[in-house]
Amino acid sequence: MDFRPAQSAFTHPLARIALGLAAALALLAPVRAAENLDSYLEGVRAKYGLPALAAAVTRSGEIVASGAVGKRAIGLDVPVTVEDRFHLGSDTKAFTATIAGTLVEEGKIKWTSTLGEVLGGKVKDMDPKLAAVTLEQLLSHTSGIPSDTPEIVGIYFNAVGFEMTPTQLRLDALERWKKHAPEVPKTGSPFQYSNLGYTFAGAMLEEVSGKPWERLVEERIYAPLGLKSAGFGPQATFGKYDAPIGHMLDDKGNATPMAWGPSADIPPVVGPAGIGHMSVLDFARWGDWNAGQGKRGPHIVSPE
């Protein structure tokens, strides 16, 4: 559930509430699906010092139990509900990969399509090894593009973010990175978790579809599944505490609520890697659709 920053170079108030959600889902095995989850979740929330926690249980396409405990922000006496929007962090990557599957199925791109083939017309003179990176490698974190470094973080956070659309910013990110040759580990697994890689994958999908990544997700995932709470960016409405929010931790562990504005989420350029949000009920519907391998409907992409 976490958007994985590079040590102190990318300390950001990503929703630790959502991190707790992942922990809770992993710990739900002892809980019978039919019982109310609140008492169980409160124990988990207290143990890990989370402001709030929510979870849902599905069975064969149906939500059979759900619960939410805690407050929307530290120091705020407003309880969370199962309808509240939670930050999803890197679970957003699953949207990007699914969108890729739909476009592969439509013949607009291949898993083996490369950065150079798709984006070389707009980003000139890429390093040949970078240009040879495939969509599949980007989505599986095996491209050789590294995890976030100070230089990569500088690409995410720069002044042009106020001058370009997210789609333009993704091409700009590739332009800034284009001379870096990928480096796959010489031993062991080729896996290197890469938010930048997913940013580039999103740019490829935008290019072949002619639509912004955000519209692709809205039209091909949110709408068909009826995820009415789903959106992008900070989950709280400006000026309101109408959702559980992320908190910034200082060096002493003190938490400051980050309700809205640029500090409440990662930059939009990195959208394909981590800016989705929705309620735990909608997240359960999405998770259950995946658990059913796309066979229960609605049709988004073939099970294969």
Side-chain angles (χ1 to χ4, degrees), residues 1 15-28 41 44 48 50 52-56 67 86-88 91 278-281 283-284:
M1 189 73 68
R16 302 187 184 272
I17 302 166
L19 294 174
L21 173 60
L25 292 175
L27 294 168
L28 283 177
L41 293 177
V44 177
Y48 292 97
L50 302 168
L53 184 64
F86 279 81
H87 179 81
L88 299 183
D91 277 347
M278 63 182 66
S279 72
V280 71
L281 298 179
F283 189 64

Side-chain angles (χ1 to χ4, degrees), residues 119-144:
L119 297 174
K122 291 186 175 179
V123 179
K124 309 291 186 181
D125 302 320
M126 264 188 270
D127 178 274
K129 291 184 178 179
L130 181 63
V133 165
T134 68
L135 176 64
E136 183 178 22
Q137 289 174 322
L138 293 171
L139 296 176
S140 61
H141 300 286
T142 59
S143 68

Side-chain angles (χ1 to χ4, degrees), residues 8-287:
S8 60
F10 197 14
T11 301
H12 198 273
L14 301 172
R16 302 187 184 272
I17 302 166
L19 294 174
L21 173 60
L25 292 175
L27 294 168
L28 283 177
V31 181
R32 295 193 307 275
E35 72 181 285
N36 185 292
L37 296 183
D38 285 357
S39 60
Y40 176 78
L41 293 177
E42 177 55 29
V44 177
R45 187 204 67 76
K47 179 179 179 180
Y48 292 97
L50 302 168
L53 184 64
V57 179
T58 68
R59 180 185 294 128
S60 302
E62 299 293 332
I63 296 175
V64 296
S66 62
V69 297
K71 309 298 183 183
R72 288 176 175 168
I74 290 175
L76 185 72
D77 190 22
V78 179
V80 297
T81 75
V82 292
E83 303 286 350
D84 281 358
R85 301 177 297 277
F86 279 81
H87 179 81
L88 299 183
S90 280
D91 277 347
T92 304
K93 290 181 173 67
F95 303 151
T96 303
T98 301
I99 294 302
T102 68
L103 293 171
V104 167
E105 192 163 74
E106 293 172 10
K108 293 183 178 179
I109 197 169
K110 299 177 181 178
W111 299 117
T112 55
S113 295
T114 66
L115 277 169
E117 291 168 348
V118 177
L119 297 174
K122 291 186 175 179
V123 179
K124 309 291 186 181
D125 302 320
M126 264 188 270
D127 178 274
K129 291 184 178 179
L130 181 63
V133 165
T134 68
L135 176 64
E136 183 178 22
Q137 289 174 322
L138 293 171
L139 296 176
S140 61
H141 300 286
T142 59
S143 68
I145 298 172
S147 300
D148 295 327
T149 64
E151 183 179 1
I152 291 174
V153 173
I155 292 174
Y156 301 157
F157 293 91
N158 71 78
V160 299
F162 297 92
E163 302 170 357
M164 298 182 182
T165 68
T167 296
Q168 292 170 329
L169 286 169
R170 287 162 202 141
L171 289 174
D172 178 74
L174 181 56
E175 179 69 34
R176 292 167 186 262
W177 189 255
K178 68 180 182 181
K179 293 302 183 182
H180 291 74
E183 295 185 16
V184 178
K186 292 182 174 58
T187 59
S189 171
F191 181 90
Q192 294 180 98
Y193 195 94
S194 178
N195 293 307
L196 188 62
Y198 258 76
T199 299
F200 295 160
M204 292 175 73
L205 304 181
E206 291 176 320
E207 180 66 19
V208 300
S209 68
K211 291 186 176 183
W213 170 84
E214 295 83 358
R215 289 306 304 161
L216 291 170
V217 175
E218 171 61 36
E219 294 173 356
R220 295 177 178 235
I221 296 177
Y222 287 0
L225 286 171
L227 308 180
K228 297 187 183 303
S229 69
F232 307 99
Q235 60 271 32
T237 305
F238 268 66
K240 298 181 180 179
Y241 290 95
D242 57 356
I245 60 176
H247 293 73
M248 179 74 81
L249 294 178
D250 64 19
D251 293 339
K252 297 180 180 179
N254 299 312
T256 300
M258 312 299 282
W260 48 79
S263 63
D265 204 344
I266 57 177
V269 59
V270 205
I275 67 167
H277 67 243
M278 63 182 66
S279 72
V280 71
L281 298 179
D282 278 344
F283 189 64
R285 293 181 183 102
W286 160 244

